[in-house]
Amino acid sequence: RNHKRVVDCRSDIDRMNAPFLAIYESLVPTEEEKSKQKQLLTSLEKLVNKEWPTAQLYLYGSCANSFGVSKSDIDVCLALEEPDINKSEILLKLADILQADNLENVQALTRARVPIVKLMDPVTGISCDICINNVLAVVNTKLLHDYAQIDDRLRQLAFIVKHWAKSRGVNVTYQGTLSSYAYVLMCIHFLQQRKPAILPCLQGMEATYVVTVDDIECAYFDQVQHLRDFGARNKERIAALVWAFFDYWAYRHDYANGVISVRTGSIISKRAKDWTRRIGNDRHLICIEDPFEISHDLGRVVDKYSIKTLREEFERAANIMHLDPDPCVTLFEPY
Ligand code: CTP
Ligand code: MG
């Protein structure tokens, strides 16, 4: 089937822009919510600094990368300077401190892949995860945030893709589907690849921001206020982009050989990364390179069953965008 022709012949696609934008607007957190998050961060900082005077708290994840929908939990990183710390000990102590201050549902998960303390603040109603010294996450949060400043269509697309993934149950890493972080990288990559490009490759430009974290040099152009016109030559609007995004993952991506790479702004080969066979639990059935931890495939959670689910969901979404009279409803139907 000739997809190019199929894509071109749905002439009413622009009719869907308004409803997609309305969904996007309905998901954006209010200023009130943002200020409650800041308020919680400030009160946590006070508590933490009583015990660890030089410690800093950073927001990361969706509350700081500008891809957070309304009513999300917040992710906080506690940065401690001491070189030899025992994370479990610190987390247990932190849990005690938080509990004593009337925070609710306080739980230290010291054995998780990323050990955290969970809590719920009864004053703001916000739930929060606190991890320790996960500085790479703070840096990749800034990268995503900076990409979001360049072109509004990234935020629109990523909100819709995340909303779709949550509605369809394919945003659950312990069930072998993808993290929100992976979906945002897929959106950035996709907009880097449009012709003309809607996003640049910030890591391919002159570095204006350089930090070294855990021996990984993180460097990219972060003066994004100068790039606000970057995508102006591309006139595609949100509905057409949502369609092309799903069409890409349903019918065009080369799952056997391709790795999507925001770092290079291109597709690179599995062979070049030695991601051609299963090693341990890394199966590399859908390959998404982390922009800084480049040996890390964000698709590594995907197994031979969940890859099928994922690809069926991409096809379902692409077909809805192609044929359904009311895609804004059908796309997000609960599974
Ligand atoms: N992260 C990471 N590596 C991963 C998964 C996550 O570094 N494999 C970091 C990223 O900084 C990401 C943050 O953890 O922004 C939170 O991840 P996730 O929960 O997937 O994304 P959120 O943006 O917080 O999405 P949600 O709105 O679903 O909470
Ligand atoms: Mg989160």
Side-chain angles (χ1 to χ4, degrees):
R1 206 163 74 192
N2 182 338
H3 283 287
K4 179 76 176 73
R5 243 191 85 225
V6 170
V7 169
D8 286 345
C9 69
R10 182 161 191 166
S11 53
D12 64 341
I13 191 70
D14 273 328
R15 191 169 62 76
M16 321 296 176
N17 287 322
F20 272 117
L21 286 177
I23 292 172
Y24 162 72
E25 297 292 348
S26 73
L27 294 169
V28 173
T30 60
E31 282 309 314
E32 188 194 354
E33 205 180 329
K34 290 301 235 186
S35 84
K36 280 189 175 167
Q37 294 178 349
K38 297 248 160 62
Q39 187 189 326
L40 174 58
L41 187 72
T42 310
S43 63
L44 290 175
E45 250 163 2
K46 280 194 191 129
L47 277 178
V48 163
N49 282 335
K50 276 190 212 156
E51 178 71 32
W52 299 282
T54 59
Q56 305 242 44
L57 285 187
Y58 296 98
L59 282 176
Y60 74 101
S62 64
C63 55
N65 64 19
S66 69
F67 297 101
V69 304
S70 178
K71 315 220 162 42
S72 311
D73 298 353
I74 65 172
D75 300 299
V76 174
C77 171
L78 168 62
L80 291 168
E81 306 248 328
E82 293 95 286
D84 302 305
I85 55 162
N86 176 332
K87 281 193 188 177
S88 297
E89 242 170 60
I90 304 256
L91 286 172
L92 291 170
K93 175 163 243 170
L94 180 61
D96 282 344
I97 294 170
L98 298 167
Q99 191 119 45
D101 198 68
N102 295 328
L103 290 152
E104 289 177 7
N105 308 345
V106 177
Q107 237 185 319
L109 307 179
T110 53
R111 287 150 181 266
R113 193 181 60 83
V114 179
I116 53 170
V117 175
K118 289 181 144 317
L119 62 92
M120 204 280 286
D121 171 32
V123 179
T124 57
I126 298 174
S127 294
C128 167
D129 292 349
I130 306 178
C131 67
I132 297 176
N133 287 1
N134 190 359
V135 183
L136 261 183
V138 176
V139 177
N140 68 36
T141 292
K142 172 172 159 61
L143 179 72
L144 267 48
H145 177 270
D146 288 339
Y147 269 114
Q149 307 311 302
I150 300 171
D151 196 293
D152 295 338
R153 289 171 286 186
L154 170 58
R155 223 174 149 221
Q156 296 166 2
L157 178 65
F159 270 60
I160 285 162
V161 169
K162 278 179 63 175
H163 183 50
W164 162 83
K166 287 181 205 283
S167 310
R168 301 299 300 168
V170 289
N171 179 209
V172 189
T173 48
Y174 64 83
Q175 291 177 354
T177 56
L178 299 169
S179 65
S180 297
Y181 177 58
Y183 281 114
V184 175
L185 291 172
M186 289 158 79
C187 292
I188 295 173
H189 167 79
F190 171 75
L191 297 180
Q192 287 176 329
Q193 297 284 295
R194 294 314 283 167
K195 304 256 177 318
I198 293 178
L199 290 178
C201 171
L202 295 177
Q203 289 170 276
M205 299 167 64
E206 177 208 352
T208 51
Y209 171 80
V210 183
V211 286
T212 302
V213 182
D214 307 336
D215 294 329
I216 297 173
E217 179 175 284
C218 307
Y220 68 93
F221 183 77
D222 77 337
Q223 304 294 300
V224 287
Q225 69 277 17
H226 301 306
L227 298 174
R228 286 288 302 179
D229 289 332
F230 182 90
R233 284 204 304 133
N234 184 313
K235 306 290 184 209
E236 289 173 301
R237 297 172 63 192
I238 186 62
L241 291 171
V242 171
W243 184 2
F245 177 87
F246 287 122
D247 183 70
Y248 174 79
W249 286 102
Y251 301 115
R252 292 162 199 272
H253 181 66
D254 180 359
Y255 286 82
N257 304 299
V259 175
I260 66 151
S261 165
V262 164
R263 171 180 62 100
T264 59
S266 67
I267 296 196
I268 54 189
S269 76
K270 285 194 194 179
R271 202 156 0 95
K273 299 200 61 99
D274 201 19
W275 281 358
T276 50
R277 65 218 134 80
R278 175 174 173 178
I279 297 179
N281 268 336
D282 290 15
R283 296 172 182 85
H284 305 302
L285 300 174
I286 174 172
C287 294
I288 303 157
E289 180 191 63
D290 186 89
F292 298 122
E293 234 178 325
I294 64 171
S295 63
H296 189 173
D297 176 5
L298 292 159
R300 71 180 175 185
V301 292
V302 177
D303 61 37
K304 66 179 176 188
Y305 304 107
S306 60
I307 187 69
K308 220 171 143 256
T309 308
L310 264 178
R311 294 187 63 171
E312 282 167 8
E313 284 297 332
F314 290 137
E315 283 176 33
R316 174 187 180 274
N319 296 344
I320 288 169
M321 291 305 295
H322 178 198
L323 295 167
D324 197 280
D326 215 353
C328 288
V329 176
T330 321
L331 202 55
F332 308 106
E333 265 166 13
Y335 60 105

